[in-house]
């Protein structure tokens, strides 16, 4: 969440194109910390906070167990 906050701040300050999406990738297996990843994804898609479209929030996972997909699906975003 901090990266999204500062990323948006930086693109505004430098007059760059806005950030349109977020990918959870390359930070360890999301399924190993599914509860916190779901909370973060929901915060990014929350209209009162970051307001990213849920269709532009992606969680990249190898899902070590089938239940992992079910847990991460609670975020309401794209699973890859």
């Amino acid at each position: 969440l901090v990266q999204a906050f500062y990323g948006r701040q930086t693109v505004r300050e430098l007059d760059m194109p806005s950030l349109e999406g977020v990918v959870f990738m390359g930070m360890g297996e999301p399924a190993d910390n599914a509860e916190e990843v779901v909370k973060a994804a929901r915060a990014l898609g929350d209209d009162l906070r970051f307001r990213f479209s849920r269709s532009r929030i992606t969680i990249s996972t190898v899902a070590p167990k089938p239940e992992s997909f079910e847990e991460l699906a609670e975020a309401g975003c794209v699973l890859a």
Side-chain angles (χ1 to χ4, degrees):
L1 295 177
V2 171
Q3 290 175 338
F5 176 82
Y6 284 114
R8 282 205 163 156
Q9 181 179 353
T10 300
V11 298
R12 274 194 309 269
E13 290 172 357
L14 299 177
D15 197 28
M16 297 170 64
S18 65
L19 298 179
E20 298 293 328
V22 175
V23 178
F24 288 82
M25 182 175 156
M27 54 183 215
E29 174 52 50
D32 291 341
N33 196 15
E35 185 177 336
E36 295 302 315
V37 170
V38 168
K39 285 180 190 177
R42 285 181 176 164
L44 290 166
D46 188 324
D47 286 339
L48 298 176
R49 292 185 266 182
F50 289 92
R51 299 173 59 180
F52 282 100
S53 168
R54 291 197 186 278
S55 65
R56 292 189 177 256
I57 302 169
T58 302
I59 300 173
S60 177
T61 180
V62 296
K65 55 186 179 185
E67 299 83 28
S68 300
F69 283 114
E70 294 172 11
E71 293 175 77
L72 293 171
E74 294 178 20
C77 60
V78 178
L79 296 179

